[in-house]
Amino acid sequence: MFHERYSCHFCGRFVLEVEGWAESTQPYHQILAPWDDEATFFGGASYHLACLRSFDRHAEVRREFLAWITVTRDTISLMGTDGLQHESTRTGLGFTERVAVLASGEIYESPRFDRWVFVESAGPFHILDLERAETLGRGERLRGNDGVHSQLLPADPGKRIEKWDLPALLDFLQIRDLYQGLLDDYAPNYRFFEGGHSRAGYVADYSLSAYIPLPDDVTTFFAGYLRDYVPKRLEDA
């Protein structure tokens, strides 16, 4: 496995974050990583979703994602530096109700909020709020978040980065082949804001969104499910 910052955990190549295509996990998320001989947790890791899908142990990753996603709180056992097992309490995402088993994966619902998570059979997961679910229910494609990312680049691009389009940036990062499907069929929106040097290297601020490649059966599910769905009340949460 690969553990360098902004390197894909599964392939080792650079990860330019864009929701639904290349993402990272927060360091405080206590997702166990039994497939990794060098790390206990899959926290603070970056990965291309396609690389997870093709990883030969993706079933183990999916299992650990589900163990964290589908509980509110649970207890995990960890090996300490003393060579003994120690128990630790973990907070999960609380999607405790499975509402669909599809050919492409499973959908779980929060019992407190209007939120769902679709967990692909091949491992990646996608969190959906009511607005996103309604978008899918109307048969429309779902565009990922276009918020600003601050990302350390593997080399200094200089001032020229200000004029680059997305393909030029991907060529500089030597990862265009990994994002070619996004470029071809999923209408990416890319914008560079600013860049500068830090102690670690060159940091770029950018936004990048594209349509998320969700399977048709997820759209079909929400088209039917939301017809009779009653939104949860905040006072009942």
Side-chain angles (χ1 to χ4, degrees):
M1 295 295 95
F2 301 89
H3 302 97
E4 292 184 10
R5 189 178 183 187
Y6 299 125
S7 293
C8 177
H9 181 77
F10 303 105
C11 78
R13 297 174 65 187
F14 187 79
V15 173
L16 185 70
E17 288 199 32
V18 50
E19 185 184 7
W21 294 87
E23 301 180 2
S24 62
T25 59
Q26 296 298 322
Y28 55 82
H29 289 166
Q30 293 183 300
I31 305 167
L32 294 174
W35 63 87
D36 190 343
D37 293 334
E38 299 178 27
T40 301
F41 295 109
F42 188 61
S46 299
Y47 62 104
H48 304 110
L49 274 65
C51 293
L52 170 53
R53 295 184 186 109
S54 63
F55 179 46
D56 59 359
R57 298 174 68 177
H58 69 260
E60 293 177 64
V61 183
R62 185 182 193 275
R63 183 186 67 216
E64 296 304 329
F65 277 169
L66 277 173
W68 170 66
I69 288 168
T70 60
V71 299
T72 302
R73 290 175 69 86
D74 68 348
T75 301
I76 54 177
S77 182
L78 305 170
M79 178 70 71
T81 56
D82 57 4
L84 301 175
Q85 292 292 124
H86 298 270
E87 291 189 343
S88 175
T89 300
R90 171 174 67 173
T91 300
L93 293 187
F95 290 93
T96 57
E97 300 179 4
R98 189 171 70 176
V99 293
V101 178
L102 310 174
S104 62
E106 298 171 304
I107 297 175
Y108 293 80
E109 182 177 316
S110 167
R112 302 177 63 198
F113 307 106
D114 298 319
R115 290 167 61 85
W116 297 263
V117 59
F118 166 57
V119 185
E120 297 182 28
S121 298
F125 65 92
H126 309 269
I127 295 176
L128 308 167
D129 59 15
L130 182 56
E131 181 179 359
R132 287 183 157 202
E134 290 174 336
T135 297
L136 293 173
R138 293 192 297 269
E140 300 173 11
R141 293 201 293 178
L142 182 64
R143 179 169 286 278
N145 187 286
D146 61 356
V148 178
H149 292 280
S150 292
Q151 198 154 355
L152 179 69
L153 301 188
D156 186 347
K159 294 285 289 184
R160 53 187 173 159
I161 192 175
E162 298 175 6
K163 298 182 179 180
W164 282 346
D165 58 9
L166 180 58
L169 175 63
L170 295 172
D171 284 340
F172 170 76
L173 298 171
Q174 300 181 5
I175 54 172
R176 182 167 177 169
D177 57 311
L178 296 173
Y179 292 74
Q180 193 61 53
L182 178 153
L183 292 171
D184 291 343
D185 300 314
Y186 291 89
N189 287 336
Y190 165 73
R191 182 182 177 188
F192 174 80
F193 290 98
E194 62 180 354
H197 294 88
S198 70
R199 291 183 179 179
Y202 186 92
V203 176
D205 292 342
Y206 71 94
S207 66
L208 174 57
S209 69
Y211 289 117
I212 298 174
L214 295 174
D216 290 341
D217 56 3
V218 177
T219 296
T220 300
F221 166 77
F222 281 110
Y225 187 73
L226 292 180
R227 281 199 292 265
D228 299 318
Y229 181 76
V230 179
K232 299 177 177 67
R233 300 189 309 166
L234 187 60
E235 56 266 35
D236 294 335

